[in-house]
Amino acid sequence: MARVTDPRPPLPEWILECYDRLCTQACQPDAGEDSVPLIDYDNAVDVLISDAELALEQRDVEYALTRLLERGYFYEVEDELRVTSPEEQC
């Protein structure tokens, strides 16, 4: 998530579309009210590859996930992508 003071250019629209798709697929674990939505990494890859509207190849999906992780939209725990701030982003 690019901050106002972030000197990096914003993420491309297609990567943000990937993020939106993954947020709709993320599940809320049964770990209490402090838990965050998450999606398994492999499931995230499958979701994005199978989305006909996005029409992405494997390497594009991996690039998008890497960029989303680097920018803090997700953080990774044991092969699960967890939404950093679900109330702000999803």
Side-chain angles (χ1 to χ4, degrees), residues 39-80:
I39 186 168
D40 180 76
Y41 185 90
D42 291 334
N43 190 22
V45 170
D46 292 342
V47 165
L48 295 176
I49 287 176
S50 66
D51 190 311
E53 191 175 319
L54 290 174
L56 299 174
E57 296 181 15
Q58 177 84 26
R59 65 178 177 226
D60 297 326
V61 168
E62 291 170 357
Y63 176 77
L65 292 174
T66 298
R67 296 292 307 275
L68 290 167
L69 283 163
E70 289 173 347
R71 290 290 183 98
Y73 284 81
F74 292 110
Y75 62 98
E76 191 169 11
V77 177
E78 297 178 5
D79 294 326
E80 291 177 339

